[in-house]
Amino acid sequence: MTEAFRRGANLLSSRGRLVSDKDYIYTILGFSDSIEQAVCVAGETVDGKKRPQDISFVLLMKDYPEGSFSFHRIAGPLKQYLLERSPATISPEHVFVVEPIFVSVAVSVWVTVKDEDASFETQSDILNMLKEYFNPVAGKGSGGWTIGVLPKRAQIMMKLGTLKNRAVIKKTVITVHYVDKDGEHTLDIDDVKATPFMVVRSGEHNVHIEYD
């Protein structure tokens, strides 16, 4: 039903032809229910080239943790589908359908627990909370993350602060890891600059328990 509404909105807005970036996004989301998010990046490609005639469509798949199979299955047919509905001025060599650059956020946190008997449960709860929080697909425990938006340290600390009744945060180390055209990067979260192609995901977290 959701996909039907998306297709209908697209037909009404553009009479079957793709004109605006909104037209393209509606069409992409209606093409397959395996697509969670899509964004349009004009004048830039995922490898950093900037040419005004280029159009990149960045797709986040719902099953992204399982790998790129579903993306590769639909990328070619989707591109052809879009080109058939695009103005003649848009040529195939300037249209790109790509996956996001996944930015894995890893949190190491040292906490003092108030109830020693509940230390294992507290540790498990923090790990699960962090894993859900950095899930870009909206669901239980996560509102999702938009492609092109990365969390700030203050946001993560605020999320950890929701556990203050059970644990006291003593120290945190937050790093990000990603691979782009320039290679592999591991940085402090304050040093990474988001691009329109990036999307957050959960990295490996560590919770160190101390006793008061």
Side-chain angles (χ1 to χ4, degrees):
M1 183 63 71
T2 301
E3 276 64 45
F5 278 122
R6 286 170 176 168
R7 293 188 185 97
N10 176 60
L11 289 173
L12 288 172
S13 66
S14 60
R15 300 184 183 274
R17 303 298 296 177
L18 305 181
V19 179
S20 68
D21 57 349
K22 186 177 293 185
D23 294 336
Y24 279 97
I25 298 305
Y26 276 136
T27 299
I28 291 170
L29 294 177
F31 184 79
S32 170
D33 59 8
S34 63
I35 301 172
E36 172 69 14
Q37 287 186 50
V39 299
C40 175
V41 182
E44 188 174 353
T45 63
V46 71
D47 59 2
K49 295 179 181 178
K50 295 185 178 182
R51 299 179 296 185
Q53 65 269 42
D54 289 339
I55 304 174
S56 296
F57 299 102
V58 190
L59 309 186
L60 173 66
M61 310 304 290
K62 291 179 180 177
D63 63 351
Y64 76 93
E66 299 173 19
S68 301
F69 175 78
S70 62
F71 169 80
H72 291 303
R73 178 173 54 84
I74 71 165
L78 173 59
K79 178 176 177 178
Q80 184 61 37
Y81 186 80
L82 296 176
L83 287 169
E84 290 170 355
R85 289 155 180 78
S86 298
T89 53
I90 296 180
S91 56
E93 61 268 26
H94 294 297
V95 175
F96 304 89
V97 178
V98 300
E99 287 187 284
I101 296 171
F102 287 100
V103 179
S104 301
V105 181
V107 178
S108 293
V109 57
W110 287 257
V111 302
T112 299
V113 296
K114 298 181 179 181
D115 182 357
E116 185 173 340
D117 293 333
S119 59
F120 179 79
E121 181 183 357
T122 300
Q123 183 183 50
S124 179
D125 287 348
I126 294 174
L127 289 172
N128 289 332
M129 179 193 71
L130 290 170
K131 183 178 179 180
E132 292 172 357
Y133 181 64
F134 296 119
N135 186 354
V137 175
K140 182 180 178 182
S142 172
W145 289 92
T146 303
I147 297 171
V149 177
L150 299 181
K152 303 293 186 184
R153 181 183 296 273
Q155 292 173 285
I156 299 170
M157 295 305 298
M158 187 177 299
K159 185 67 176 179
L160 288 170
T162 61
L163 297 169
K164 62 183 179 181
N165 291 330
R166 300 172 56 186
V168 177
I169 308 299
K170 293 296 186 180
K171 177 184 176 182
T172 58
V173 176
I174 307 172
T175 59
V176 300
H177 177 269
Y178 63 95
V179 178
D180 64 8
K181 64 181 179 63
D182 296 319
E184 193 171 356
H185 308 270
T186 300
L187 304 169
D188 184 272
I189 193 167
D190 294 328
D191 296 328
V192 63
K193 294 182 179 179
T195 75
F197 296 92
M198 289 180 169
V199 72
V200 68
R201 70 177 172 187
S202 180
E204 294 294 324
H205 310 295
N206 292 288
V207 178
H208 307 274
I209 300 292
E210 299 175 353
Y211 303 107
D212 195 355

